[in-house]
Amino acid sequence: MQLTFLGTSAGRPTRTRNVTSIALSLPEPQCGFWLFDVGEGTQHRMLGSRFKLNKLERIFVTHLHGDHIYGLPGLLSSRGYFEGAGPLTIYGPSGLRRYLAGIFELTGVHLGYELNVVEIAEGEVVADDRYVVEAAELQHRLPCFGYRITERPQPGPLNLKRLGELGVPAGPLYGKLKRGEDITLECGRSIAASDVAGTPQPGRVVTILGDTRPCDNAVRLAMNADLLVHEATFAGGLEEKAAAYGHSTFTQAAEIARDAGAKRLVVTHFSSRYDDEAVAELANGVKDIFAEIEPAVEMTDILIPRPPLTNS
């Protein structure tokens, strides 16, 4: 599992930064990716990268400000040209369906694949056998959501030596045991998955917040997260200006991470007044509040490692 920032600028693009979009790459067996926001130019950022639109599985929109969604119609249209592009679900605030329907009607777009638009409320928005995604409303000038992605615990490694002693043939039965299913051999012998698998591995938690002032829901969504992505539009000391625009400072982002007990903080959504050197200095300047802070760098992967395995 890893994050790639396809845009880190607030409000408008700059010569070195695109507007907001984040890709979350999923591990096996999916090997696909999700997008969080699709600012203008997002699909251009993908050109020449490993990201192929037929591997895009879900899109999560935080809010309807243009720097977070103006790239969405073009990306959805282009996806139809990729062979094997299957159904796609987009999650976001009320009004998202109307926004897309209006553009598609006026421009005569035919996607060629099934598109589902889910206008969300607070609470659980996705739950499958690998992940749970929760949303909560933040404090911005438009309705805006943050997302908490929780990976379900994964089965531990199989004890291959024990499987050999029990006479379990390699193949589909290994897969069943790996998924936690008990099996019965042809001889009638029953084997419990718990007897041949290691300790289940805890899942990872990633929190990706939209634009926001500091608020209780930001802390709740980020509680004990392995990685928190929080906006840092302004430098510390500009809290009054940040509040007026519904944003946060580097100082406030560090305080949210600290209060939530997050393990790691990546800040993004930087005002165009700050160049890369200034952004690095601003992040270093709040390490006394939260040491594990780093600024997002576009097209750089941020790995989210699994916790160490503990074998039974």
Side-chain angles (χ1 to χ4, degrees):
M1 184 183 285
Q2 61 188 27
L3 286 184
T4 306
F5 287 80
L6 304 174
T8 62
S9 185
R12 61 182 177 88
T14 71
R15 290 181 179 272
T16 58
R17 300 189 196 115
N18 199 35
V19 285
T20 298
S21 186
I22 303 170
L24 174 63
S25 300
L26 304 175
E28 294 181 350
Q30 284 102 327
C31 298
F33 70 100
W34 298 350
L35 281 178
F36 291 81
D37 288 334
V38 187
E40 182 183 1
T42 294
Q43 65 172 315
H44 294 273
R45 274 289 197 251
M46 292 182 178
L47 297 176
S49 77
R50 70 177 184 279
F51 297 109
K52 307 301 178 186
L53 288 175
N54 56 357
K55 296 293 186 181
L56 175 60
E57 298 178 355
R58 305 182 195 270
I59 298 175
F60 298 87
V61 174
T62 62
H63 66 295
L64 302 185
H65 272 149
D67 58 319
H68 294 255
I69 65 164
Y70 281 170
L72 185 55
L75 181 142
L76 294 176
S77 179
S78 294
R79 187 174 184 266
Y81 291 96
F82 283 75
E83 184 178 353
L88 176 66
T89 303
I90 304 178
Y91 307 85
S94 176
L96 179 60
R97 184 181 295 110
R98 185 157 39 97
Y99 167 75
L100 290 173
I103 290 176
F104 292 158
E105 179 184 358
L106 292 171
T107 58
V109 169
H110 175 69
L111 295 180
Y113 58 88
E114 180 184 349
L115 178 67
N116 301 301
V117 180
V118 179
E119 294 186 341
I120 65 172
E122 289 195 332
E124 189 176 279
V125 296
V126 173
D128 60 25
D129 60 347
R130 291 295 299 269
Y131 303 98
V132 175
V133 181
E134 302 166 80
E137 192 161 355
L138 304 173
Q139 292 185 9
H140 193 46
R141 291 177 295 152
L142 287 180
C144 184
F145 288 92
Y147 295 97
R148 178 183 176 92
I149 305 98
T150 301
E151 181 184 35
R152 296 188 189 273
Q154 300 300 301
L158 294 177
N159 185 330
L160 300 182
K161 179 180 179 182
R162 182 59 177 155
L163 288 172
E165 293 171 349
L166 294 171
V168 180
L173 293 179
Y174 276 30
K176 288 187 175 183
L177 291 167
K178 182 71 174 176
R179 293 191 296 271
E181 302 174 20
D182 298 340
I183 64 170
T184 301
L185 301 179
E186 290 183 358
C187 64
R189 185 177 193 177
S190 296
I191 298 176
S194 59
D195 292 338
V196 294
T199 303
Q201 181 173 318
R204 291 160 284 193
V205 175
V206 179
T207 299
I208 299 175
L209 303 181
D211 294 0
T212 188
R213 304 179 186 92
C215 62
D216 291 342
N217 274 348
V219 175
R220 183 171 67 81
L221 287 172
M223 193 64 63
N224 301 317
D226 294 285
L227 177 65
L228 165 63
V229 177
H230 197 296
E231 68 128 291
T233 306
F234 296 106
L238 295 177
E239 282 74 21
E240 186 174 340
K241 184 179 185 67
Y245 288 95
H247 289 301
S248 297
T249 66
F250 280 75
T251 302
Q252 291 169 325
E255 290 170 344
I256 293 292
R258 178 199 63 197
D259 294 348
K263 298 180 179 67
R264 188 178 179 190
L265 168 65
V266 178
V267 287
T268 186
H269 200 267
F270 311 122
S271 168
S272 59
R273 70 181 65 189
Y274 308 120
D275 60 17
D276 291 346
E277 182 178 353
V279 164
E281 290 177 358
L282 289 169
N284 285 331
V286 297
K287 285 194 172 183
D288 59 326
I289 300 173
F290 189 81
E292 298 301 319
I293 182 176
E294 60 191 283
V297 177
E298 296 195 21
M299 303 310 296
T300 299
D301 294 333
I302 295 180
L303 297 176
I304 309 163
R306 295 183 184 277
L309 284 172
T310 303
N311 294 323
S312 59

